[in-house]
Amino acid sequence: MEQELPLFPESASTLAPQVDALFLAWSAISIAFTILIAVLIVYFMVRYRRQSVDEVGQAERAPAWLEVAWSIIPLIISLAMFAWGAQVFFEIYRAPKNAVEYWAVGKQWMWKFQHPDGHREINTLHIPVGVPVRLHIQSEDVIHSVFVPAFRIKQDAVPGRETSAWFQATKPGVYHLFCAEYCGGEHSKMTGSIVAMEPEDYQVWLAGGPVGKSMTASGADLFESLACYTCHRPAEETVAAGLAARAPRLEGLYGSEVRLVDGRSVTADEEYLRESILNPAEKIVSGWQPIMPTYQGQVTEEQLSQLLAYIRSLSATTGAPAAPAPTPPISPISPTPSAPRDPAVPARTEGQ
């Protein structure tokens, strides 16, 4: 019904009816009170107008019940609308646990998308109908914003930070994608499309194109190329080789509670991991030395997403608690003799 109303875009996601219903309810209440107030103003102007030049008005006091009524009724309506709005807000910003993860990177003036299996697209994203999609959103330069009117979603892409949005398409079609934040001279041309397809057609489309590496596989390669494994060895490898651990292990880290040297405990979510890579000295894990160098300016936003995807995969496959290794950490200037490495590659860690 909503998509047939003037000025309403097509409704093509599970979130759209909820957003439209809330918008229409607020509009109806606002219009009703506007008309009521306007009618009362006109009525009072006529009813209590001055009849003669020397007429003097008399002070009147409204009954107590009327004072209470015009205070309580708007309060109840406002609280009810707040509760409804909060429920819709949480629905919009909490992706289902079974949501399939895709990645979007904004860059002047284009959108780069990557599928879970490694497929890449520019300014177009193909998705299956009826499947919840969680979009990890980043920016390589300035602020952008993913705006899909038919899905009723809008989420900023903020430099130096990962945001996310989710949606579930309800019918096949091609839906407009816009950048809703001014990002430069070619901002108006930064458009794209979301192509929703039946699951069978989507699988056929996937099979018809070249397959790249998934985000997790790319993250594993980057993890190795940056020599992160010299400090973040798997726990079983460290024990088997009799090596002293240099940094917290990553198996089971994502989503766990991490205790810091200042006594605080934080959750190892995307923001914590991102900060640990770019600014490792900000939150030092209890029991470990601050030996990790910063990777600020050394990895791109896309590479950060790959590393985060790889770390998340370690937690998904192991489920082991994220805790310091039983052996005490060693000094960064005294590497373990039994752990030979290329002297040209500095020891690095992702876990502080």
Side-chain angles (χ1 to χ4, degrees):
M1 183 271 292
E2 292 87 351
Q3 64 267 28
E4 298 174 359
L5 295 175
L7 303 181
F8 267 69
E10 185 177 6
S11 175
S13 76
T14 55
L15 297 173
Q18 301 181 54
V19 175
D20 292 348
L22 183 63
F23 175 80
L24 289 174
W26 266 118
S27 299
I29 292 174
S30 300
I31 293 172
F33 272 95
T34 300
I35 294 174
L36 175 63
I37 293 172
V39 169
L40 290 176
I41 289 176
V42 173
Y43 171 76
F44 292 147
M45 288 172 58
V46 175
R47 174 67 177 81
Y48 298 104
R49 71 187 185 279
R50 177 175 290 184
Q51 301 291 335
S52 62
V53 177
D54 58 349
E55 185 178 10
V56 178
Q58 297 180 357
E60 292 187 9
R61 180 176 180 82
W65 66 266
L66 186 58
E67 295 274 0
V68 173
W70 69 41
S71 299
I72 295 298
I73 293 176
L75 176 62
I76 292 175
I77 294 175
S78 298
L79 290 177
M81 296 306 296
F82 171 80
W84 186 6
Q87 185 270 327
V88 174
F89 176 86
F90 289 128
E91 183 74 18
I92 291 175
Y93 287 96
R94 287 180 176 175
K97 293 183 179 180
N98 62 335
V100 181
E101 295 184 331
Y102 291 71
W103 287 263
V105 179
K107 180 180 180 181
Q108 294 176 316
W109 288 273
M110 60 187 292
W111 292 105
K112 298 189 293 183
F113 296 103
Q114 182 162 349
H115 294 245
D117 67 348
H119 275 84
R120 294 174 181 267
E121 299 185 80
I122 300 294
N123 291 335
T124 302
L125 176 63
H126 290 74
I127 60 168
V129 170
V131 176
V133 170
R134 184 186 183 193
L135 202 59
H136 295 270
I137 304 170
Q138 295 172 311
S139 171
E140 288 190 358
D141 37 47
V142 299
I143 187 170
H144 301 283
S145 186
V146 175
F147 177 42
V148 186
F151 295 163
R152 309 296 193 268
I153 64 166
K154 178 184 178 295
Q155 181 62 59
D156 288 347
V158 183
R161 178 182 174 187
E162 180 179 290
T163 58
S164 66
W166 83 273
F167 53 85
Q168 181 175 326
T170 55
K171 58 184 177 180
V174 180
Y175 305 105
H176 293 298
L177 164 68
F178 302 99
C179 176
E181 292 287 350
Y182 182 73
C183 55
E186 301 293 325
H187 164 70
S188 61
K189 297 181 180 179
M190 191 170 173
T191 60
S193 300
I194 304 292
V195 182
M197 312 172 70
E198 294 292 350
E200 300 79 7
D201 297 333
Y202 177 71
Q203 293 301 324
V204 172
W205 178 85
L206 285 179
V211 180
K213 287 188 176 181
S214 67
M215 292 293 284
T216 300
S218 298
D221 291 344
L222 184 60
F223 189 84
E224 182 175 352
S225 67
L226 294 175
C228 303
Y229 59 86
T230 59
C231 295
H232 291 285
R233 293 183 179 89
E236 60 275 9
E237 179 182 318
T238 303
V239 175
L243 303 176
R246 297 173 61 89
R249 67 176 186 258
L250 301 180
E251 303 96 321
L253 173 63
Y254 179 73
S256 66
E257 290 294 317
V258 178
R259 188 169 182 81
L260 306 180
V261 292
D262 58 7
R264 292 181 297 155
S265 292
V266 297
T267 301
D269 54 11
E270 283 89 350
E271 289 302 317
Y272 168 80
L273 295 175
R274 168 184 284 270
E275 185 179 42
S276 296
I277 296 171
L278 300 180
N279 188 16
E282 184 66 24
K283 293 183 175 70
I284 307 299
V285 179
S286 178
W288 301 95
Q289 297 183 21
I291 64 174
M292 179 171 172
T294 176
Y295 284 84
Q296 183 77 47
Q298 300 184 51
V299 294
T300 65
E301 286 295 323
E302 192 169 358
Q303 290 174 325
L304 270 174
S305 292
Q306 293 169 355
L307 288 172
L308 294 179
Y310 173 64
I311 296 173
R312 283 197 301 266
S313 72
L314 296 179
S315 298
T317 55
T318 62
T327 53
I330 61 175
S331 169
I333 61 175
S334 303
T336 305
S338 58
R341 60 177 176 84
D342 186 349
V345 180
R348 299 178 178 181
T349 174
E350 320 295 359
Q352 266 66 292

